Amino acid sequence: MIPYPIRALLLACAAAWAGPVHAEPILLRPAQVFDGTDPAPHQGWQVLVDGEKIIAVGPDLKAPADAKVIDLPGQTLLPGLIEGHGHLFLHPYNEVPWDTQVLHEALALRTARAVAQARATLLAGFTTERDLGTEGAGFADVGLRQAIAQGIVPGPRLLVATRAIVALGAYGPKGFEPGVTVPQGAQEASGSDGVVSAVRQQIAAGADVIKLYADYHYQPGEPTRATFTAAELAAATAAAHDAGRPVAVHATTAEGMARAIAAGVDTIEHGDEGTPALFRAMKDKSIAFCPTLAAGDAIARYRGWNGSTPAPAMVEESVRAFRLALAAGTPICMGGDVGVYAHGTNVREMELMQAAGMAPAQVLIAATSGNAHHFRLSDKLGAIRAGLLADLIATPGDPTRDVAALRTVSLVMKGGVVVK
């Protein structure tokens, strides 16, 4: 059950969000359509929407007499973008450090901010988001997901991971008197039975996806090392898969990645120490890689880097891993760890993927049909095709040439409803 203060806050937001409604079919007439799967845009295509779904796509469509026509001259229409790695209950670390957010910001405050950040995400053209952990905000993401689904507040469709699961003693905040219980940013577990119990507790609370930390540092200043054993990761993954939940794993070390691959997880996040062999193994097992380039880039800038060369080691390492994954043919997830940097600027990750060598159209595919496939949403989202939900966006530029065009989004439609 959603705690009363949060429930009251979400209901109060209804007064500020009278969600738009539609009754008539809508015919969208852009200059071109990027359908989410074909790298080449389709010139002169149109899209007919009725209710919440796309009912026809192609040139010279005949719309019903009562259809509303939206002309988008010179613009590109494409599927709503899918953010693959976000934290709506965090805000940029240069505003407030992570420890302070977890320990000192009230849950109602964090929820209010998450509501605003969900709206910013949607209006930026990201109509779906995989939110990979509330970082100390408990199960509040489940309530936010429900509030969005019920039209109480605006935001993207959410897949939530609730608390995430970490090895006992291996997360944070830290630095307090030994023996004093300090609230943690994730759920601690130990042993195969313990991690299976944690997985099931999170599923019972409403988790759509299970997030595990395969590695982390035990004390400040220590190197990151593998935390969960191979057996623990395998047991947690099996329990999640038995319940129909995919598994996302934070892994920055080669050993953590190797254990996650052996466990058969669905996505690996970060992967800084990835090797050609590890990325080939991921490809062979259809495990997607979510590089989160924008997180390291943002943190480096908070520490004084101005974006010029030479880049800090943390930035170079993540770019190196991404390029190795591309060379290996590893499936790529688009997700930037947004929350480390500002929500609504999600396209920052896409720009960095392009700058690191991924073709713009392939970046777009990763952010649409690619993420839909990795997140088991292909029967509903990720492409412009008859029968799918009408999550659509338009931009005055041509993002198949430069994804920076998506910095300007002129139209956002979610489930057939124009929200921008």
Side-chain angles (χ1 to χ4, degrees):
M1 182 175 180
I2 306 173
Y4 173 76
I6 298 173
R7 187 168 69 253
L9 174 66
L10 294 176
L11 291 172
C13 289
W17 173 251
V21 296
H22 64 84
E24 68 279 352
I26 299 174
L27 179 65
L28 298 162
R29 301 196 300 196
Q32 62 180 14
V33 171
F34 171 78
D35 67 10
T37 59
D38 189 337
H42 304 280
Q43 304 297 321
W45 271 25
Q46 301 168 357
V47 177
L48 182 61
V49 173
D50 197 356
E52 66 176 4
K53 292 189 175 181
I54 299 167
I55 61 170
V57 180
D60 304 320
L61 294 183
K62 184 176 181 180
D66 61 341
K68 176 181 179 180
V69 176
I70 299 179
D71 284 314
L72 300 165
Q75 300 197 42
T76 303
L77 188 74
L78 58 159
L81 303 172
I82 301 174
E83 172 59 60
H85 188 136
H87 297 279
L88 284 168
F89 287 83
L90 290 177
H91 57 108
Y93 295 175
N94 64 332
E95 297 175 357
V96 178
W98 181 87
D99 280 20
T100 303
Q101 294 185 44
V102 173
L103 290 176
H104 298 293
E105 291 189 343
L107 182 57
L109 171 63
R110 296 188 70 185
T111 302
R113 183 178 282 112
V115 168
Q117 293 176 160
R119 180 177 184 274
T121 301
L122 177 63
L123 295 182
F126 289 79
T127 56
T128 301
E129 177 166 340
R130 185 178 64 154
D131 195 90
L132 289 183
T134 61
E135 305 293 335
F139 299 104
D141 55 351
V142 176
L144 179 58
R145 181 192 66 197
Q146 293 170 335
I148 292 171
Q150 293 174 28
I152 299 171
V153 297
R157 305 174 190 277
L158 291 183
L159 301 173
V160 302
T162 68
R163 299 178 62 197
I165 301 170
V166 296
L168 182 64
Y171 204 52
K174 293 186 182 297
F176 300 89
E177 175 66 23
V180 174
T181 300
V182 176
Q184 294 290 289
Q187 181 173 357
E188 295 182 303
S190 187
S192 294
D193 289 344
V195 295
V196 168
S197 178
V199 167
R200 291 173 177 161
Q201 287 169 18
Q202 294 199 15
I203 292 171
D208 300 304
V209 55
I210 296 300
K211 184 184 180 186
L212 301 160
Y213 279 70
D215 49 34
Y216 213 70
H217 51 270
Y218 280 93
Q219 293 295 335
E222 287 189 1
T224 298
R225 48 173 52 92
T227 51
F228 282 129
T229 66
E232 287 171 328
L233 282 177
T237 300
H241 286 172
D242 283 348
R245 266 62 173 187
V247 176
V249 171
H250 167 115
T252 62
T253 65
E255 179 61 26
M257 292 178 69
R259 294 182 187 184
I261 293 167
V265 306
D266 298 281
T267 67
I268 290 178
E269 320 297 309
H270 314 304
D272 295 343
E273 294 183 9
T275 65
L278 287 170
F279 286 121
R280 285 195 298 270
M282 289 176 65
K283 177 187 178 183
D284 291 343
K285 298 186 78 169
S286 298
I287 298 172
F289 177 50
C290 202
T292 65
L293 301 175
D297 181 88
I299 291 170
R301 291 174 188 273
Y302 299 157
R303 294 174 179 173
W305 180 51
N306 63 6
S308 62
T309 55
M314 65 186 300
V315 173
E316 290 189 342
E317 189 174 45
S318 62
V319 171
R320 177 202 61 83
F322 178 64
R323 287 172 174 164
L324 288 177
L326 288 180
T330 309
I332 300 295
C333 158
M334 196 299 293
D337 213 352
V338 60
V340 175
Y341 54 99
H343 298 274
T345 65
N346 307 60
V347 73
R348 181 173 179 172
E349 176 73 8
M350 300 172 69
E351 292 172 335
L352 290 172
M353 292 166 72
Q354 177 180 311
M358 195 173 193
Q362 294 303 319
V363 176
L364 293 176
I365 289 172
T368 54
S369 62
N371 274 359
H373 172 74
H374 305 321
F375 306 157
R376 307 180 184 180
L377 300 172
S378 295
D379 60 334
K380 300 180 181 69
L381 299 166
I384 297 181
R385 187 171 71 244
L388 298 189
L389 291 171
D391 283 17
L392 303 165
I393 67 172
T395 173
D398 184 354
T400 66
R401 295 180 179 272
D402 186 352
V403 297
L406 293 169
R407 287 276 177 172
T408 302
V409 173
S410 58
L411 176 138
V412 179
M413 175 183 284
K414 179 186 170 192
V417 176
V418 176
V419 297
K420 178 178 179 180

